[in-house]
Amino acid sequence: MSRFRRVAANSKGRDLAVGDIHGHFHRLQACLDDVGFDRHVDRLFSVGDLVDRGPHSEEALQWLAQPWFHAVQGNHESLAITHLRGGRLDLEMYRAAGGGWFLDLPADEQAVYVEQFLQLPIAMEVQTEAGLIGLLHANSPFDDWAALRDSLLFDDDPQVREVCQWSRTRLKEGNTQPVAGVRAVLVGHTPVLQAKALGNVWHLDTGGWANGHFSLMDMASLALLYPAAPTPSA
């Protein structure tokens, strides 16, 4: 298990990124179909929170088994890990946050999910033709990507992991300080009405699991492929 993962450039197709999924894999698949996602050459990168809240959380294992699907560990995956590994956890809060499907599984079935969630890195970097793209769930505790990379690879500081998975500070403060050493950082965790950038940090959780929509971003161009931009009127 590595807290940080490097992914080589895709020489055959597109790399797309999506915000929090929260068990709405069928809705996400419809969006992928809409943009012509080709699983033979394209790849999809998730900023975490694959499970809870939605109706098909159990399908997370099927998606994680696909060679074209890559994800970082969100706070909801972390909640499942904490529950099974005996950490401190408010079970009422967890159930209210959509974790009932997991809590109601037999322990041996919970273990299968947790084993897969433990394999997910806290942060990931992906090479593109236009530069390096970073992904994590919530917020970077450093203004330099190399510092985050080194911390996760060599220190494994629980406080760093907590910021990566739980912090909403950048959005709350409207912080536009860019993260150096990377073209962009893609995050989720906090729902926004439309995908938005603060500095070079893009917030992609646009509530596709609730009453909003999924946002699919082309990681090379940082252009939103879904929802499609409206056609200008003549």
Side-chain angles (χ1 to χ4, degrees), residues 19 24 26 56 61 90 99 108 113 118 134 160-161 166 169 177 181 185 209 232:
H24 277 280
H26 296 188
H56 305 115
L61 294 184
D90 183 332
D108 59 337
Y113 284 91
L118 283 168
V160 168
R161 283 189 272 122
W166 290 90
T169 302
Q177 174 70 33
V185 178
W209 49 272

Side-chain angles (χ1 to χ4, degrees), residues 3 141-142 146-157 160:
R3 300 290 187 185
F142 304 103
L148 176 60
R149 180 194 302 125
D150 289 347
S151 176
L152 292 174
L153 284 173
F154 305 117
D155 298 334
D156 195 21
D157 184 339
V160 168

Side-chain angles (χ1 to χ4, degrees), residues 13 46 62-63 84 90 111 113 117 126 144 155 185 188 198-199 206-207 223:
S46 160
Q62 300 171 35
W63 282 66
L84 194 65
D90 183 332
Y113 284 91
F117 295 164
V126 183
D144 186 275
D155 298 334
V185 178
L198 289 175
T206 48

Side-chain angles (χ1 to χ4, degrees), residues 19 52 58 178 193 210:
D52 300 347
E58 72 282 355
L193 293 177

Side-chain angles (χ1 to χ4, degrees), residues 3-102:
R3 300 290 187 185
F4 189 90
R5 183 175 301 164
R6 297 179 173 94
V7 180
N10 185 352
S11 61
K12 297 180 179 180
R14 301 172 298 173
D15 283 344
L16 308 186
V18 67
D20 300 23
I21 299 170
H22 282 306
H24 277 280
F25 292 104
H26 296 188
R27 191 181 295 175
L28 173 59
Q29 183 61 59
C31 297
L32 293 173
D33 293 343
D34 191 76
V35 301
F37 183 85
D38 183 347
R39 63 184 61 195
H40 295 100
V41 295
D42 297 335
R43 303 186 298 194
L44 179 65
F45 291 83
S46 160
V47 296
D49 277 9
L50 310 179
V51 296
D52 300 347
R53 305 190 192 282
H56 305 115
S57 289
E58 72 282 355
E59 294 187 14
L61 294 184
Q62 300 171 35
W63 282 66
L64 287 171
Q66 304 305 314
W68 47 264
F69 184 68
H70 305 267
V72 297
Q73 187 188 111
N75 64 300
H76 281 257
E77 286 78 50
S78 179
L79 288 170
I81 294 168
T82 298
H83 172 67
L84 194 65
R85 293 299 176 96
R88 295 181 59 187
L89 183 63
D90 183 332
L91 294 182
E92 289 187 7
M93 177 277 293
Y94 186 22
R95 189 174 289 276
W101 74 277
F102 181 81

